[in-house]
Amino acid sequence: MARVKTAVLISGRGSNMAALIAAAAAPGFPAEIALVIANKAGAGGLALAAEAGIRTAVVESRPFGKDRAAFEAVLQAELEAAGIELVCLAGFMRVLTPAFVERWQGRMLNIHPALLPAFPGLDTHERALDAGVKIHGCTVHLVVPEVDSGPILAQAAVPVLPNDTPDTLAARVLAQEHVIYPAALARLARDLASGGADPAPSDPARPEAGQPAAAQALVVPAP
Ligand code: GAR
């Protein structure tokens, strides 16, 4: 079966990107990481991708200022030039326009460091500790125009421990991000490669429509 050509979009260190690249190196993995794009020239993940022999590109978002559509036109051109079929946002800290998101409907994934719909947005680990939750985690979801929303493909839950700091909690969550993101990518790529219908965001009038058949849930027990 042809592997689904996938791009990973990053802004920083790229540990999730590295997990996706490592998983995709396994024989039989249904997606090929064909391109890594960073919106910051200094993104640490670029060097990791290049070391792994993956084509990289930088499309700086800063020079475009508030003109998100102009930035995305360049991004889209890079994706098309590489024949990309699926996009993984991995620590990509740039909000995308509805038009761009709709262009990639059912074919763009994001990883978020919280159990959505809890704690969308930034500083999720700090906010989880402040809220006193006892379970925290991460979510892989299809991207829809509303930020940190969209059909959930996988979640992993981890315990919040009494002496946790935002950093210790982030590390526990990140380890699970690296587990569920490759798994969710594999499932979606396999669906797409086998001609399965693109799982589109749900129609409010038909809540069952477009929902992925079976999302993955992983619960990590307390030590
Ligand atoms: C990850 O924890 C990811 O979930 C988060 O940024 C980190 C990127 O780390 N993403 C978001 O907060 C998106 N809103 P990485 O560059 O090492 O993968």
Side-chain angles (χ1 to χ4, degrees):
M1 193 183 284
R3 299 200 298 155
V4 178
K5 280 192 141 192
T6 301
V8 185
L9 271 49
I10 62 170
S11 298
R13 71 187 160 185
S15 73
N16 276 290
M17 173 213 72
L20 295 173
I21 291 172
F29 195 87
E32 173 201 355
I33 308 301
L35 177 64
V36 168
I37 304 181
N39 70 323
K40 292 181 179 178
L46 285 169
L48 295 179
E51 265 168 41
I54 311 285
R55 176 173 159 188
T56 62
V58 176
V59 182
E60 288 265 16
S61 49
R62 188 185 287 261
F64 291 96
K66 290 188 176 151
D67 192 349
R68 293 192 288 149
F71 163 69
E72 290 166 0
V74 181
L75 201 57
Q76 180 65 25
E78 290 284 351
L79 296 170
E80 281 176 17
I84 295 302
E85 302 164 282
L86 193 52
V87 175
C88 291
L89 307 182
F92 185 69
M93 307 307 275
R94 176 96 185 168
V95 173
L96 297 164
T97 64
F100 186 82
V101 170
E102 274 152 25
R103 162 66 185 79
W104 289 95
Q105 176 174 309
R107 289 171 173 263
M108 183 154 61
L109 303 179
N110 182 44
I111 181 117
H112 181 74
L115 290 172
L116 291 173
F119 308 117
L122 300 175
D123 303 322
T124 54
H125 309 304
E126 205 165 2
R127 286 159 57 214
L129 289 174
D130 287 349
V133 296
K134 302 301 170 208
I135 293 174
H136 185 46
C138 49
T139 302
V140 178
H141 63 96
L142 286 168
V143 177
V144 296
E146 193 188 337
V147 175
D148 297 333
S149 301
I152 290 172
L153 300 185
Q155 287 188 311
V158 303
V160 178
L161 302 180
N163 294 324
D164 265 333
T165 64
D167 285 349
T168 60
L169 185 53
R172 193 173 309 116
V173 170
L174 189 66
Q176 299 311 315
E177 295 184 34
H178 298 164
V179 173
I180 64 168
Y181 208 177
L185 170 61
R187 285 159 34 120
L188 183 61
R190 210 166 275 129
D191 273 2
L192 292 173
S194 67
D198 287 11
S202 54
D203 173 352
R206 290 192 311 130
E208 77 289 357
Q211 292 294 335
Q216 181 193 32
L218 188 66
V219 179
V220 178

